[in-house]
Amino acid sequence: MKKIALDAIDIRILSALQQHGKVSKSKLAELVNLSPTPCWVRLDKLKKTGLISGYQTDIDLERIVDLTKVLVTISLKNHSKADFDRFEYYIQKIDAIIECDATGGGCDYVMKVIANNLTDFQRLIEQLLNAEIGIDRYFIYIVTRQVKSVAPNILKLITPTA
């Protein structure tokens, strides 16, 4: 994938949006130390390149409802493109699976699942196994508490270190 060239101001804009979410034009300009019109022009350019895929609010769901969070590693029986495509297509439709990453090494996928309780989680696992999407084995890890969850620090990722 072709990388998009960014200058220091673009990086400051992206970092400010990552930290503060959707903010007014004047507030964003203040945060990045740029006048509002050039700031907005740059923001529009960044949106058009697809770097900004949306805005979201982080909600502390555990203050609203009890949830069971589970990490699941999955290995498929076969490893053809069709096998991966079938699995990935199927899980896209399941709301309880909130993240899924294809991995190399000991398993094929790592998923983050939320459910109301362990019974609902077990129903989901049974649904996946009955769907004949090629699951060979899986391991589950019940999340007991979240220790850290942050967005990557874009300034540190992009700025070269000496």
Side-chain angles (χ1 to χ4, degrees):
M1 175 184 287
K2 183 181 176 196
K3 303 297 180 205
I4 298 169
L6 301 173
D7 65 15
I9 295 171
D10 292 333
I11 293 168
R12 288 197 318 258
I13 290 171
L14 292 172
S15 180
L17 291 173
Q18 188 179 47
Q19 291 175 24
H20 301 282
K22 194 169 187 174
V23 296
S24 69
K25 178 172 33 172
S26 58
K27 180 65 176 174
L28 181 60
E30 177 187 323
L31 289 168
V32 299
N33 198 25
L34 191 65
S35 59
T37 300
C39 183
W40 209 247
V41 168
R42 283 177 174 266
L43 179 60
D44 284 341
K45 179 190 83 163
L46 292 169
K47 286 180 182 178
K48 287 177 183 167
T49 64
L51 284 173
I52 299 168
S53 59
Y55 299 91
Q56 64 189 44
T57 300
D58 292 327
I59 299 170
D60 186 354
L61 288 176
E62 292 185 24
R63 294 186 64 166
I64 302 168
V65 63
D66 287 329
L67 293 173
T68 298
K69 294 180 190 176
V70 184
L71 300 177
V72 182
T73 62
I74 294 195
S75 296
L76 299 183
K77 293 175 190 167
N78 300 303
H79 294 95
S80 72
K81 181 172 179 349
D83 295 310
F84 292 123
D85 289 347
R86 181 176 51 250
F87 176 83
E88 292 171 18
Y89 177 78
Y90 188 85
I91 63 143
Q92 293 294 330
K93 301 179 281 184
I94 301 174
D95 290 337
I97 300 171
I98 59 171
E99 289 182 30
C100 182
D101 295 308
T103 59
C107 65
D108 297 314
Y109 296 96
V110 176
M111 300 187 316
K112 185 184 286 185
V113 178
I114 58 167
N116 290 326
N117 51 49
L118 284 175
T119 302
D120 286 350
F121 172 75
Q122 185 58 39
R123 277 193 211 108
L124 170 65
I125 290 297
E126 290 169 4
Q127 174 189 346
L128 292 173
L129 294 172
N130 290 332
E132 297 184 23
I133 53 175
I135 295 174
D136 181 36
R137 65 184 182 279
Y138 67 94
F139 295 95
I140 65 169
Y141 305 89
I142 307 295
V143 176
T144 57
R145 66 185 171 96
Q146 185 171 5
V147 176
K148 182 177 182 179
S149 177
V150 297
N153 183 331
I154 190 169
L155 290 173
K156 287 190 177 183
L157 290 174
I158 294 176
T159 307
T161 56

